[in-house]
Amino acid sequence: AGLLVGGMSMGTAKAADLGGDCCADLEERVADLEATTVRKGNRKVSLTLSGQIDKQIMYMSDDRSSRTIAGVDNINSSTRFLFSGNAKITSSVTAGFEMMMEWSGSSRSDKINQVTTLGDNWNLTNSSGDGSLSVRTANWWLEDKALGRVTVGRVNIQGPASIIDISGGDVQLVAWSNPSLQGGGLYLAADGGGNFYSNTLGNLAPYCYGCSREEGIRYDSASIGGLLLGAYWGEQDRFSVQARYAGEFAGFQIAAGAGYQHDNNLATTGVSKRTDVEQQAYALSVKHIATGIFVQANTGKTNWKLLNNVSGKSDGTMWQVQGGIAKNWFGPGVTALYGEYGRAEGYASDTAAADPVTGVATSLGGTITSDSVDYYGLGVTQKIDAAAMTLYLGWRHFDPKISVNGVDRPLSEIDTVIGGARIQF
């Protein structure tokens, strides 16, 4: 029967022996797997692949027409994938990298418009078909636990603060603080269903505070009691600084941000023309933890010292506020209900007003002497934690106003409705 060892006979032990032909078979199997598996270049630097798909159905309407498009890429948080990794140099110093690719298809929520005639020059951004990949970020970084992180390459720059979303329900997926990312390509239309003009909703509200990406060098401090400091310098002498804070007090979450950006750009389309512009923006968000009630807002200003070598353009100013409640009432994840209101003014003033896109009605041509747009909206998001997914539905109403050469030009109001989902991997 064999010698018993710990209640198991030697014959039984032999069946669990890893010697002999067993290891040879295992090594052969490992070699087969390595030959058919994508591998990273070395074992010193980790590699992570992550990303997301974010697609929606978008409805748009004005006095002249309405349109619904399915499969639109949500540029509030676009479809993308990311390669990232790091390696520890010492106990306090780490090196790493990031390369993010974005899907640049033809149907983007910031580009599509009301025109539907195929072949029309004004419809080029609406054409279907294959898209392409573009590089959002590509950089390396060095980080010290006490001194912070330095990043070199194509980065998300520091700068003026956009709304800081502390809802916990991904409200910024559907209602991000730059309204032109949803419907910015929509042409302004004459009130009552007249001509479309080539000026767009995005011309009146183009602000994108703190969201630019450029090649350069960026610094992020380590946390100082919840306070994070940052700075960036890069192409065309673009310079920015930012401060952000997050903390909890007496049952409330609080987040705040402030930033400044200076661009000194030389455009070389035809004759070289310089644009010298300063931006500043501030954000404050508060959430009551127990109830899930939240309010989040930001305000910003853009000052053009020079625009194409010409001084005197009026400032662009904006403000917006969002509020609602976000809690996990049903089990799958947080549900957020929100409302919002915002206003932009002066961003298109002192620029050219363009002729009509179609028709023969009175031209809008001339110089825009004043402009504004008020907008408000409602929406809901639903997180599905088990699938790393967020469903969203939101409506916005825009009331644009413009005067050309001192004469008011009544414009149609615009409505957009978006519904879709983001799933992360």
PDB file of all heavy atoms in Angstrom, residues 318-346:
ATOM      1  N   MET A 318     -18.947  84.841 -19.063  1.00  0.00           N
ATOM      2  CA  MET A 318     -19.916  83.770 -18.923  1.00  0.00           C
ATOM      3  C   MET A 318     -20.110  83.418 -17.457  1.00  0.00           C
ATOM      4  O   MET A 318     -19.263  83.710 -16.611  1.00  0.00           O
ATOM      5  CB  MET A 318     -19.466  82.508 -19.676  1.00  0.00           C
ATOM      6  CG  MET A 318     -18.093  81.948 -19.297  1.00  0.00           C
ATOM      7  SD  MET A 318     -17.928  81.083 -17.701  1.00  0.00           S
ATOM      8  CE  MET A 318     -19.090  79.750 -17.930  1.00  0.00           C
ATOM      9  N   TRP A 319     -21.253  82.812 -17.180  1.00  0.00           N
ATOM     10  CA  TRP A 319     -21.488  82.188 -15.878  1.00  0.00           C
ATOM     11  C   TRP A 319     -22.527  81.101 -16.066  1.00  0.00           C
ATOM     12  O   TRP A 319     -23.310  81.130 -17.030  1.00  0.00           O
ATOM     13  CB  TRP A 319     -21.954  83.208 -14.827  1.00  0.00           C
ATOM     14  CG  TRP A 319     -23.277  83.868 -15.136  1.00  0.00           C
ATOM     15  CD1 TRP A 319     -23.468  85.052 -15.777  1.00  0.00           C
ATOM     16  CD2 TRP A 319     -24.583  83.376 -14.804  1.00  0.00           C
ATOM     17  NE1 TRP A 319     -24.809  85.345 -15.882  1.00  0.00           N
ATOM     18  CE2 TRP A 319     -25.522  84.327 -15.286  1.00  0.00           C
ATOM     19  CE3 TRP A 319     -25.053  82.240 -14.149  1.00  0.00           C
ATOM     20  CZ2 TRP A 319     -26.893  84.157 -15.140  1.00  0.00           C
ATOM     21  CZ3 TRP A 319     -26.421  82.080 -14.002  1.00  0.00           C
ATOM     22  CH2 TRP A 319     -27.324  83.025 -14.485  1.00  0.00           C
ATOM     23  N   GLN A 320     -22.509  80.131 -15.182  1.00  0.00           N
ATOM     24  CA  GLN A 320     -23.480  79.047 -15.248  1.00  0.00           C
ATOM     25  C   GLN A 320     -23.586  78.391 -13.886  1.00  0.00           C
ATOM     26  O   GLN A 320     -22.644  78.438 -13.078  1.00  0.00           O
ATOM     27  CB  GLN A 320     -23.090  78.014 -16.303  1.00  0.00           C
ATOM     28  CG  GLN A 320     -21.715  77.426 -16.120  1.00  0.00           C
ATOM     29  CD  GLN A 320     -21.261  76.630 -17.315  1.00  0.00           C
ATOM     30  OE1 GLN A 320     -22.044  75.937 -17.942  1.00  0.00           O
ATOM     31  NE2 GLN A 320     -19.984  76.712 -17.644  1.00  0.00           N
ATOM     32  N   VAL A 321     -24.734  77.783 -13.616  1.00  0.00           N
ATOM     33  CA  VAL A 321     -24.963  77.113 -12.351  1.00  0.00           C
ATOM     34  C   VAL A 321     -25.786  75.855 -12.604  1.00  0.00           C
ATOM     35  O   VAL A 321     -26.682  75.851 -13.458  1.00  0.00           O
ATOM     36  CB  VAL A 321     -25.666  78.038 -11.333  1.00  0.00           C
ATOM     37  CG1 VAL A 321     -27.018  78.491 -11.852  1.00  0.00           C
ATOM     38  CG2 VAL A 321     -25.807  77.368  -9.974  1.00  0.00           C
ATOM     39  N   GLN A 322     -25.448  74.777 -11.922  1.00  0.00           N
ATOM     40  CA  GLN A 322     -26.179  73.519 -11.998  1.00  0.00           C
ATOM     41  C   GLN A 322     -26.525  73.080 -10.578  1.00  0.00           C
ATOM     42  O   GLN A 322     -25.744  73.309  -9.651  1.00  0.00           O
ATOM     43  CB  GLN A 322     -25.336  72.432 -12.675  1.00  0.00           C
ATOM     44  CG  GLN A 322     -24.969  72.741 -14.107  1.00  0.00           C
ATOM     45  CD  GLN A 322     -23.991  71.737 -14.694  1.00  0.00           C
ATOM     46  OE1 GLN A 322     -23.345  70.980 -13.966  1.00  0.00           O
ATOM     47  NE2 GLN A 322     -23.868  71.728 -16.012  1.00  0.00           N
ATOM     48  N   GLY A 323     -27.674  72.462 -10.424  1.00  0.00           N
ATOM     49  CA  GLY A 323     -28.072  71.978  -9.119  1.00  0.00           C
ATOM     50  C   GLY A 323     -29.005  70.790  -9.251  1.00  0.00           C
ATOM     51  O   GLY A 323     -29.671  70.613 -10.278  1.00  0.00           O
ATOM     52  N   GLY A 324     -29.043  69.978  -8.198  1.00  0.00           N
ATOM     53  CA  GLY A 324     -29.927  68.817  -8.246  1.00  0.00           C
ATOM     54  C   GLY A 324     -29.697  67.918  -7.056  1.00  0.00           C
ATOM     55  O   GLY A 324     -29.188  68.329  -6.011  1.00  0.00           O
ATOM     56  N   ILE A 325     -30.047  66.659  -7.243  1.00  0.00           N
ATOM     57  CA  ILE A 325     -29.897  65.658  -6.184  1.00  0.00           C
ATOM     58  C   ILE A 325     -29.392  64.365  -6.816  1.00  0.00           C
ATOM     59  O   ILE A 325     -29.818  63.987  -7.912  1.00  0.00           O
ATOM     60  CB  ILE A 325     -31.234  65.436  -5.439  1.00  0.00           C
ATOM     61  CG1 ILE A 325     -31.042  64.466  -4.278  1.00  0.00           C
ATOM     62  CG2 ILE A 325     -32.340  64.983  -6.384  1.00  0.00           C
ATOM     63  CD1 ILE A 325     -32.234  64.399  -3.354  1.00  0.00           C
ATOM     64  N   ALA A 326     -28.472  63.688  -6.114  1.00  0.00           N
ATOM     65  CA  ALA A 326     -27.874  62.453  -6.628  1.00  0.00           C
ATOM     66  C   ALA A 326     -27.739  61.451  -5.492  1.00  0.00           C
ATOM     67  O   ALA A 326     -27.035  61.703  -4.516  1.00  0.00           O
ATOM     68  CB  ALA A 326     -26.504  62.747  -7.245  1.00  0.00           C
ATOM     69  N   LYS A 327     -28.445  60.319  -5.634  1.00  0.00           N
ATOM     70  CA  LYS A 327     -28.388  59.252  -4.625  1.00  0.00           C
ATOM     71  C   LYS A 327     -28.621  57.905  -5.305  1.00  0.00           C
ATOM     72  O   LYS A 327     -29.175  57.845  -6.406  1.00  0.00           O
ATOM     73  CB  LYS A 327     -29.457  59.466  -3.543  1.00  0.00           C
ATOM     74  CG  LYS A 327     -29.166  60.606  -2.582  1.00  0.00           C
ATOM     75  CD  LYS A 327     -30.219  60.690  -1.506  1.00  0.00           C
ATOM     76  CE  LYS A 327     -30.120  59.546  -0.518  1.00  0.00           C
ATOM     77  NZ  LYS A 327     -28.895  59.652   0.322  1.00  0.00           N
ATOM     78  N   ASN A 328     -28.219  56.849  -4.625  1.00  0.00           N
ATOM     79  CA  ASN A 328     -28.478  55.496  -5.117  1.00  0.00           C
ATOM     80  C   ASN A 328     -29.809  55.021  -4.515  1.00  0.00           C
ATOM     81  O   ASN A 328     -29.845  54.382  -3.474  1.00  0.00           O
ATOM     82  CB  ASN A 328     -27.334  54.554  -4.725  1.00  0.00           C
ATOM     83  CG  ASN A 328     -27.454  53.199  -5.388  1.00  0.00           C
ATOM     84  OD1 ASN A 328     -28.511  52.827  -5.909  1.00  0.00           O
ATOM     85  ND2 ASN A 328     -26.373  52.439  -5.368  1.00  0.00           N
ATOM     86  N   TRP A 329     -30.912  55.356  -5.182  1.00  0.00           N
ATOM     87  CA  TRP A 329     -32.238  55.019  -4.687  1.00  0.00           C
ATOM     88  C   TRP A 329     -32.656  53.595  -5.050  1.00  0.00           C
ATOM     89  O   TRP A 329     -33.448  52.974  -4.360  1.00  0.00           O
ATOM     90  CB  TRP A 329     -33.290  55.975  -5.245  1.00  0.00           C
ATOM     91  CG  TRP A 329     -33.260  57.344  -4.642  1.00  0.00           C
ATOM     92  CD1 TRP A 329     -33.514  57.681  -3.351  1.00  0.00           C
ATOM     93  CD2 TRP A 329     -32.978  58.571  -5.321  1.00  0.00           C
ATOM     94  NE1 TRP A 329     -33.405  59.037  -3.181  1.00  0.00           N
ATOM     95  CE2 TRP A 329     -33.084  59.610  -4.374  1.00  0.00           C
ATOM     96  CE3 TRP A 329     -32.651  58.895  -6.635  1.00  0.00           C
ATOM     97  CZ2 TRP A 329     -32.880  60.947  -4.702  1.00  0.00           C
ATOM     98  CZ3 TRP A 329     -32.441  60.224  -6.959  1.00  0.00           C
ATOM     99  CH2 TRP A 329     -32.545  61.224  -5.998  1.00  0.00           C
ATOM    100  N   PHE A 330     -32.157  53.085  -6.182  1.00  0.00           N
ATOM    101  CA  PHE A 330     -32.709  51.853  -6.745  1.00  0.00           C
ATOM    102  C   PHE A 330     -31.772  50.661  -6.682  1.00  0.00           C
ATOM    103  O   PHE A 330     -32.198  49.544  -6.973  1.00  0.00           O
ATOM    104  CB  PHE A 330     -33.127  52.097  -8.203  1.00  0.00           C
ATOM    105  CG  PHE A 330     -33.994  53.308  -8.378  1.00  0.00           C
ATOM    106  CD1 PHE A 330     -33.515  54.434  -9.026  1.00  0.00           C
ATOM    107  CD2 PHE A 330     -35.285  53.329  -7.872  1.00  0.00           C
ATOM    108  CE1 PHE A 330     -34.310  55.548  -9.185  1.00  0.00           C
ATOM    109  CE2 PHE A 330     -36.093  54.454  -8.025  1.00  0.00           C
ATOM    110  CZ  PHE A 330     -35.601  55.568  -8.676  1.00  0.00           C
ATOM    111  N   GLY A 331     -30.487  50.859  -6.374  1.00  0.00           N
ATOM    112  CA  GLY A 331     -29.581  49.739  -6.232  1.00  0.00           C
ATOM    113  C   GLY A 331     -28.487  49.630  -7.275  1.00  0.00           C
ATOM    114  O   GLY A 331     -27.338  49.346  -6.921  1.00  0.00           O
ATOM    115  N   PRO A 332     -28.748  49.830  -8.590  1.00  0.00           N
ATOM    116  CA  PRO A 332     -27.687  49.628  -9.578  1.00  0.00           C
ATOM    117  C   PRO A 332     -26.596  50.685  -9.532  1.00  0.00           C
ATOM    118  O   PRO A 332     -25.479  50.437  -9.974  1.00  0.00           O
ATOM    119  CB  PRO A 332     -28.431  49.676 -10.917  1.00  0.00           C
ATOM    120  CG  PRO A 332     -29.673  50.455 -10.633  1.00  0.00           C
ATOM    121  CD  PRO A 332     -30.055  50.099  -9.231  1.00  0.00           C
ATOM    122  N   GLY A 333     -26.894  51.863  -8.997  1.00  0.00           N
ATOM    123  CA  GLY A 333     -25.913  52.940  -8.941  1.00  0.00           C
ATOM    124  C   GLY A 333     -26.607  54.263  -8.688  1.00  0.00           C
ATOM    125  O   GLY A 333     -27.837  54.338  -8.568  1.00  0.00           O
ATOM    126  N   VAL A 334     -25.817  55.331  -8.623  1.00  0.00           N
ATOM    127  CA  VAL A 334     -26.343  56.659  -8.316  1.00  0.00           C
ATOM    128  C   VAL A 334     -27.245  57.153  -9.446  1.00  0.00           C
ATOM    129  O   VAL A 334     -26.906  57.039 -10.629  1.00  0.00           O
ATOM    130  CB  VAL A 334     -25.193  57.652  -8.080  1.00  0.00           C
ATOM    131  CG1 VAL A 334     -25.717  59.084  -7.981  1.00  0.00           C
ATOM    132  CG2 VAL A 334     -24.425  57.279  -6.830  1.00  0.00           C
ATOM    133  N   THR A 335     -28.389  57.701  -9.076  1.00  0.00           N
ATOM    134  CA  THR A 335     -29.282  58.411  -9.999  1.00  0.00           C
ATOM    135  C   THR A 335     -29.175  59.897  -9.696  1.00  0.00           C
ATOM    136  O   THR A 335     -29.265  60.306  -8.544  1.00  0.00           O
ATOM    137  CB  THR A 335     -30.747  57.970  -9.815  1.00  0.00           C
ATOM    138  OG1 THR A 335     -30.844  56.566  -9.981  1.00  0.00           O
ATOM    139  CG2 THR A 335     -31.643  58.666 -10.825  1.00  0.00           C
ATOM    140  N   ALA A 336     -28.954  60.708 -10.724  1.00  0.00           N
ATOM    141  CA  ALA A 336     -28.836  62.154 -10.545  1.00  0.00           C
ATOM    142  C   ALA A 336     -29.911  62.863 -11.360  1.00  0.00           C
ATOM    143  O   ALA A 336     -30.088  62.584 -12.549  1.00  0.00           O
ATOM    144  CB  ALA A 336     -27.458  62.648 -10.964  1.00  0.00           C
ATOM    145  N   LEU A 337     -30.622  63.789 -10.721  1.00  0.00           N
ATOM    146  CA  LEU A 337     -31.572  64.683 -11.374  1.00  0.00           C
ATOM    147  C   LEU A 337     -31.013  66.096 -11.258  1.00  0.00           C
ATOM    148  O   LEU A 337     -30.612  66.520 -10.163  1.00  0.00           O
ATOM    149  CB  LEU A 337     -32.944  64.601 -10.702  1.00  0.00           C
ATOM    150  CG  LEU A 337     -33.590  63.214 -10.631  1.00  0.00           C
ATOM    151  CD1 LEU A 337     -34.817  63.260  -9.730  1.00  0.00           C
ATOM    152  CD2 LEU A 337     -33.963  62.728 -12.024  1.00  0.00           C
ATOM    153  N   TYR A 338     -30.977  66.840 -12.357  1.00  0.00           N
ATOM    154  CA  TYR A 338     -30.348  68.157 -12.309  1.00  0.00           C
ATOM    155  C   TYR A 338     -31.111  69.173 -13.164  1.00  0.00           C
ATOM    156  O   TYR A 338     -31.865  68.825 -14.078  1.00  0.00           O
ATOM    157  CB  TYR A 338     -28.896  68.085 -12.799  1.00  0.00           C
ATOM    158  CG  TYR A 338     -28.793  67.927 -14.305  1.00  0.00           C
ATOM    159  CD1 TYR A 338     -28.766  69.035 -15.148  1.00  0.00           C
ATOM    160  CD2 TYR A 338     -28.768  66.671 -14.889  1.00  0.00           C
ATOM    161  CE1 TYR A 338     -28.703  68.893 -16.518  1.00  0.00           C
ATOM    162  CE2 TYR A 338     -28.713  66.507 -16.253  1.00  0.00           C
ATOM    163  CZ  TYR A 338     -28.683  67.636 -17.076  1.00  0.00           C
ATOM    164  OH  TYR A 338     -28.636  67.491 -18.428  1.00  0.00           O
ATOM    165  N   GLY A 339     -30.886  70.436 -12.851  1.00  0.00           N
ATOM    166  CA  GLY A 339     -31.313  71.552 -13.678  1.00  0.00           C
ATOM    167  C   GLY A 339     -30.140  72.508 -13.823  1.00  0.00           C
ATOM    168  O   GLY A 339     -29.206  72.499 -13.012  1.00  0.00           O
ATOM    169  N   GLU A 340     -30.169  73.351 -14.838  1.00  0.00           N
ATOM    170  CA  GLU A 340     -29.040  74.254 -15.080  1.00  0.00           C
ATOM    171  C   GLU A 340     -29.497  75.538 -15.753  1.00  0.00           C
ATOM    172  O   GLU A 340     -30.560  75.585 -16.395  1.00  0.00           O
ATOM    173  CB  GLU A 340     -27.990  73.571 -15.958  1.00  0.00           C
ATOM    174  CG  GLU A 340     -28.505  73.165 -17.334  1.00  0.00           C
ATOM    175  CD  GLU A 340     -27.415  72.596 -18.235  1.00  0.00           C
ATOM    176  OE1 GLU A 340     -26.228  72.834 -17.953  1.00  0.00           O
ATOM    177  OE2 GLU A 340     -27.764  71.938 -19.226  1.00  0.00           O
ATOM    178  N   TYR A 341     -28.692  76.583 -15.582  1.00  0.00           N
ATOM    179  CA  TYR A 341     -28.925  77.858 -16.268  1.00  0.00           C
ATOM    180  C   TYR A 341     -27.567  78.495 -16.523  1.00  0.00           C
ATOM    181  O   TYR A 341     -26.662  78.424 -15.673  1.00  0.00           O
ATOM    182  CB  TYR A 341     -29.789  78.801 -15.431  1.00  0.00           C
ATOM    183  CG  TYR A 341     -30.291  79.992 -16.215  1.00  0.00           C
ATOM    184  CD1 TYR A 341     -31.559  79.969 -16.780  1.00  0.00           C
ATOM    185  CD2 TYR A 341     -29.503  81.120 -16.416  1.00  0.00           C
ATOM    186  CE1 TYR A 341     -32.031  81.039 -17.528  1.00  0.00           C
ATOM    187  CE2 TYR A 341     -29.949  82.188 -17.162  1.00  0.00           C
ATOM    188  CZ  TYR A 341     -31.213  82.149 -17.709  1.00  0.00           C
ATOM    189  OH  TYR A 341     -31.667  83.214 -18.458  1.00  0.00           O
ATOM    190  N   GLY A 342     -27.413  79.123 -17.693  1.00  0.00           N
ATOM    191  CA  GLY A 342     -26.153  79.773 -18.012  1.00  0.00           C
ATOM    192  C   GLY A 342     -26.334  80.921 -18.984  1.00  0.00           C
ATOM    193  O   GLY A 342     -27.383  81.061 -19.640  1.00  0.00           O
ATOM    194  N   ARG A 343     -25.304  81.759 -19.077  1.00  0.00           N
ATOM    195  CA  ARG A 343     -25.331  82.904 -19.986  1.00  0.00           C
ATOM    196  C   ARG A 343     -23.907  83.195 -20.461  1.00  0.00           C
ATOM    197  O   ARG A 343     -22.949  83.140 -19.689  1.00  0.00           O
ATOM    198  CB  ARG A 343     -25.901  84.139 -19.306  1.00  0.00           C
ATOM    199  CG  ARG A 343     -25.879  85.399 -20.183  1.00  0.00           C
ATOM    200  CD  ARG A 343     -26.506  86.591 -19.465  1.00  0.00           C
ATOM    201  NE  ARG A 343     -26.358  87.828 -20.227  1.00  0.00           N
ATOM    202  CZ  ARG A 343     -27.162  88.213 -21.201  1.00  0.00           C
ATOM    203  NH1 ARG A 343     -28.181  87.447 -21.550  1.00  0.00           N
ATOM    204  NH2 ARG A 343     -26.960  89.342 -21.848  1.00  0.00           N
ATOM    205  N   ALA A 344     -23.779  83.499 -21.756  1.00  0.00           N
ATOM    206  CA  ALA A 344     -22.524  83.950 -22.346  1.00  0.00           C
ATOM    207  C   ALA A 344     -22.782  85.252 -23.089  1.00  0.00           C
ATOM    208  O   ALA A 344     -23.850  85.438 -23.683  1.00  0.00           O
ATOM    209  CB  ALA A 344     -21.967  82.898 -23.305  1.00  0.00           C
ATOM    210  N   GLU A 345     -21.802  86.143 -23.074  1.00  0.00           N
ATOM    211  CA  GLU A 345     -21.998  87.456 -23.688  1.00  0.00           C
ATOM    212  C   GLU A 345     -20.662  87.988 -24.196  1.00  0.00           C
ATOM    213  O   GLU A 345     -19.632  87.886 -23.516  1.00  0.00           O
ATOM    214  CB  GLU A 345     -22.581  88.423 -22.660  1.00  0.00           C
ATOM    215  CG  GLU A 345     -22.909  89.807 -23.195  1.00  0.00           C
ATOM    216  CD  GLU A 345     -23.597  90.687 -22.175  1.00  0.00           C
ATOM    217  OE1 GLU A 345     -23.714  90.235 -21.003  1.00  0.00           O
ATOM    218  OE2 GLU A 345     -24.012  91.795 -22.523  1.00  0.00           O
ATOM    219  N   GLY A 346     -20.657  88.514 -25.417  1.00  0.00           N
ATOM    220  CA  GLY A 346     -19.506  89.235 -25.940  1.00  0.00           C
ATOM    221  C   GLY A 346     -18.475  88.412 -26.675  1.00  0.00           C
ATOM    222  O   GLY A 346     -17.529  88.975 -27.226  1.00  0.00           O
TER     223      GLY A 346
END
